[in-house]
Amino acid sequence: MIRIFQDYQTLSEMAAQAIVTIGLQCLEDRGKFELVLSGGSTPKQAYSLLGRQWEHKRRLWENTQVYWSDERCVLPDDSRSNFMMARQSFLDTVRIPADNIHRIHGEADDPHVEAKCYEVEFPPRPDLLLLGIGTDGHTASLFPHSTALEEQTRKFLAVQTPAEPPSRITITPKGIACASEIMVLVSGTNKANAVQQVFAETGNILETPARIVHNAIWLMDKEAAQKITKTILIET
Ligand code: 6PG
């Protein structure tokens, strides 16, 4: 499903609303909400909006378990840390209990060992997985031509990437497939080519890893969607 919004602010508001709606439904159905956060900068505004009037959603946040799709191999207080971004954007505001925050320890001496530990901690079927997409079509820290794209058994792997910082711990396609719902947030003209490649009739995940989640819920602004054909929109 693809939903296109006028601008980044509207996209962020709708994303925050959707996250809360899904969370409240999970709380009603199962008494908890297992949320997997994306990194990068796109979700920052949506995360901040989650903190708005948080007192009215106290029961939700008290029963939310937070995980990450990937993490850079840096200290948790490093400005490049995905955990740090989420903590500053909303985790501190909504006062999610510390025991409910399951960060990937990017600072671990051996990222391969941490990836193994994290996939044990990761829930078998998280309720909602948030993802972004890079200008090259990567998602999480699954970059084009990464060997992690062909991983069949592991849910998390330590990888070397062409990005900064290069060392990452990332969810794999098998880990992504565990999620009940997947929501991809995309904003900006610079993502239009990558988005076009995700929904193009021909292509492959080695070239465009985000094709793994082409069937997910895509929330994007008009700039990011500018190269999507009408046919694709009608079909979705
Ligand atoms: C990361 C993310 C990554 C991100 C995209 C988009 O750790 O950086 O997992 O996949 O979602 O690179 O990043 P922006 O939102 O900053 O454009």
Side-chain angles (χ1 to χ4, degrees):
M1 179 185 80
I2 298 176
R3 294 192 64 194
I4 299 171
F5 302 99
Q6 185 62 30
D7 52 36
Y8 175 63
Q9 180 60 29
T10 314
L11 160 65
S12 301
E13 287 179 6
M14 297 309 289
Q17 269 182 41
I19 293 165
V20 170
T21 301
I22 293 170
L24 290 172
Q25 188 59 56
C26 291
L27 192 58
E28 191 179 316
D29 296 347
R30 300 191 319 125
K32 65 176 175 179
F33 177 36
E34 292 172 325
L35 172 61
V36 185
L37 299 179
S38 162
S41 56
T42 301
K44 211 167 185 175
Q45 180 62 4
Y47 292 172
S48 302
L49 291 165
L50 289 176
R52 192 175 48 181
Q53 297 179 331
W54 71 275
E55 300 89 336
H56 302 168
K57 305 176 195 85
R58 192 188 291 268
R59 206 168 73 79
L60 171 61
W61 300 124
E62 283 169 354
N63 294 286
T64 296
Q65 299 288 334
V66 179
Y67 301 84
W68 275 262
S69 62
D70 61 320
E71 185 55 277
R72 292 86 180 272
C73 291
V74 295
L75 289 167
D77 60 357
D78 186 302
S79 62
R80 299 166 296 175
S81 162
N82 289 334
F83 162 75
M84 184 69 172
M85 185 274 274
R87 218 196 85 189
Q88 288 178 330
S89 305
F90 87 106
L91 293 179
D92 284 352
T93 307
V94 303
R95 297 184 196 169
I96 289 186
D99 288 350
N100 293 17
I101 296 177
H102 309 271
R103 71 178 183 89
I104 301 171
H105 294 85
E107 74 278 18
D109 290 340
D110 185 339
H112 297 281
V113 171
E114 173 58 19
K116 282 201 178 112
C117 293
Y118 198 72
E119 66 182 23
V120 173
E121 187 174 5
F122 197 71
R125 192 153 177 71
D127 299 301
L128 177 60
L129 166 63
L130 302 179
L131 289 172
I133 177 174
T135 55
D136 60 358
H138 80 259
T139 192
S141 288
L142 296 168
F143 284 76
H145 307 293
S146 167
T147 52
L149 289 166
E150 292 162 316
E151 173 59 39
Q152 299 297 316
T153 52
R154 300 289 303 281
K155 293 181 184 178
F156 281 83
L157 284 174
V159 293
Q160 287 302 310
T161 76
E164 171 47 37
S167 296
R168 312 272 180 108
I169 295 170
T170 185
I171 197 167
T172 64
K174 184 173 173 64
I176 290 172
C178 294
S180 293
E181 289 274 13
I182 302 170
M183 187 183 295
V184 188
L185 307 187
V186 195
S187 171
T189 295
N190 66 333
K191 303 290 176 74
N193 286 334
V195 167
Q196 183 185 39
Q197 287 309 308
V198 167
F199 295 103
E201 277 191 22
T202 56
N204 63 71
I205 70 163
L206 279 177
E207 297 287 340
T208 309
R211 286 176 72 95
I212 296 167
V213 290
H214 74 280
N215 274 330
I217 302 167
W218 286 71
L219 306 185
M220 55 181 101
D221 60 21
K222 283 171 75 172
E223 287 186 345
Q226 61 186 282
K227 294 190 175 178
I228 294 182
T229 64
K230 290 258 183 297
T231 322
I232 290 170
L233 286 176
I234 292 164
E235 280 163 7
T236 55

